[in-house]
Amino acid sequence: MSQPAASASPPAVADVGRLLVRCPDRPGIVAAVSGLLHAHGANIAQSDQYSTSLEGGTFLMRVVFHLEELGARRPALEAELAEVADRYAMRWTLHDAAVPKRAAILVSREDHCLMDLLWRHRRGELDLDVRLVASNHPDLGEDVGAFGLPFHHVPVTPGTKPQAEERLLELLAGEVDVVILARYMQILSGDLLTRLGVPVINIHHSFLPAFVGANPYARARDRGVKLVGATAHYVTEELDAGPIIEQDVARVSHRDDVPALVAVGRDIERTVLARAVAWHAADRVIVHDGTTVVL
Ligand SMILES: Nc1nc2c(c(=O)[nH]1)N[C@@H](CN(C=O)c1ccc(C(=O)N[C@@H](CCC(=O)O)C(=O)O)cc1)CN2
């Protein structure tokens, strides 16, 4: 099963920029962007592009480049990018690979996805600046503290959901660039998502679009599935309907009861979430028309 390379991005080093481009497809875009980077003294290390259609499609491009003194040269580079963008009706973002995205992780009681992310982060495998962990249960506070990270218990009950979301916003709004739901089992309101204003990545414990919502493994067992899976997706107000970033599956059989399905699923969930988070951290995921392109 082919999939984007586990990590095609060069190591995050000084003076490495990542440029993401989106515009109506037409001839000359690659030449215009590469020519601009060359004119500013940049050396392109990686370039990936995709057009949604050869006729009237949208052109998506990700360029990783090295430019000495990137910080000092960035204003002039961005000024000329703005001019090229006008010519090609281009939307673009430029990221400094030396500045990891600030992240918060939300969790409930299941620890496998959270711990996997924290272990990878501690080993330096996850290019993120993990700022805090928050949970609607106190269970994992000690485990998080062992990683030297702040842990915030934000209890949620049906009658206190608005107040809990206000507390989450106090902790997160303006403080992080991405929020990761590592089996966080509370539905986030559209108001919270809007006020957060940053991408939220969720791991759903089924191969979406099958078994949206709660208790997917029990429903999968009742259905007699021969595969179970996990799906990492961006979070939207509609439950488990956001753009899919990564998925994977494993074979199961009639011999597997629900606990066995849950056990098989745990390994899939944590590896799928880790891959999705790593790709997001490396600016490899572009959302287009409710789906994603992973360059
Ligand atoms: N706005 C969104 N919020 C969340 C999403 C999402 O896609 N959009 N994904 C969920 C995670 N999730 C499945 O992956 C999920 C979580 C919670 C529920 C649910 O029914 N929760 C109940 C309360 C459960 C409890 O009290 O423990 C509820 O919130 O009413 C279904 C699916 C994370 N949030």
Side-chain angles (χ1 to χ4, degrees):
M1 188 178 302
S2 68
Q3 64 191 29
S7 170
S9 303
V13 292
D15 298 331
V16 172
R18 294 194 286 252
L19 173 63
L20 294 183
V21 165
R22 178 202 310 259
C23 60
D25 194 12
R26 57 181 278 195
I29 301 165
V30 174
V33 172
S34 57
L36 179 156
L37 290 171
H38 177 247
H40 282 258
N43 180 34
I44 293 175
Q46 186 177 335
S47 180
D48 298 277
Q49 45 277 328
Y50 169 72
S51 176
T52 61
S53 162
L54 288 180
E55 293 292 327
T58 297
F59 185 81
L60 307 170
M61 186 176 187
R62 175 182 183 269
V63 183
V64 181
F65 62 89
H66 181 259
L67 175 58
E68 293 289 346
E69 304 298 325
L70 172 61
R73 295 182 174 178
R74 184 166 182 164
L77 180 61
E78 290 182 325
E80 191 164 349
L81 273 169
E83 291 174 16
V84 171
D86 284 345
R87 289 207 303 272
Y88 288 86
M90 198 182 277
R91 286 188 288 159
W92 57 276
T93 54
L94 178 58
H95 302 272
D96 184 340
V99 181
K101 291 171 177 48
R102 300 164 299 166
I105 305 174
L106 303 189
V107 67
S108 288
R109 282 200 167 103
E110 294 284 344
D111 64 353
H112 55 290
C113 291
L114 167 70
M115 300 308 286
D116 188 271
L117 289 174
L118 295 183
W119 283 326
R120 292 174 192 267
H121 181 252
R122 185 168 64 185
R123 284 200 299 269
E125 293 173 5
L126 217 44
D127 186 19
L128 280 178
D129 175 9
V130 179
R131 309 294 296 163
L132 65 95
V133 174
S135 176
N136 56 322
H137 297 285
D139 309 41
L140 298 171
E142 278 187 34
D143 293 300
V144 172
F147 286 86
L149 290 170
F151 176 86
H152 299 274
H153 177 208
V154 184
V156 183
T157 65
T160 64
K161 202 147 190 166
Q163 292 86 333
E165 290 202 334
E166 285 305 318
R167 176 60 181 146
L168 286 175
L169 282 165
E170 285 172 15
L171 292 168
L172 305 177
E175 300 298 324
V176 295
D177 305 303
V178 59
V179 177
I180 301 159
L181 306 185
R183 291 301 304 279
Y184 182 69
M185 301 313 287
Q186 289 297 320
I187 297 175
L188 304 179
S189 70
D191 177 59
L192 175 112
L193 294 170
T194 302
R195 291 165 66 188
L196 262 183
V198 297
V200 180
I201 298 172
N202 178 59
I203 184 68
H204 180 68
H205 38 318
S206 83
F207 187 65
L208 289 176
F211 308 117
V212 166
N215 305 314
Y217 289 122
R219 290 183 282 142
R221 169 68 184 174
D222 292 344
R223 185 68 182 80
V225 300
K226 304 306 179 187
L227 292 172
V228 292
T231 302
H233 63 92
Y234 288 114
V235 169
T236 56
E237 185 171 4
E238 184 184 353
L239 186 62
D240 299 331
I244 290 172
I245 306 167
E246 174 59 331
Q247 297 182 290
D248 210 340
V249 295
R251 298 204 71 81
V252 293
S253 80
H254 57 281
R255 292 183 177 83
D256 295 310
D257 58 10
V258 174
L261 298 184
V262 170
V264 171
R266 281 200 192 99
D267 278 350
I268 310 171
E269 293 163 37
R270 58 190 183 81
T271 53
V272 166
L273 180 59
R275 281 203 296 265
V277 169
W279 294 346
H280 179 86
D283 301 300
R284 294 183 58 196
V285 188
I286 300 179
V287 176
H288 177 71
D289 265 354
T291 65
T292 66
V293 171
V294 182
L295 294 174

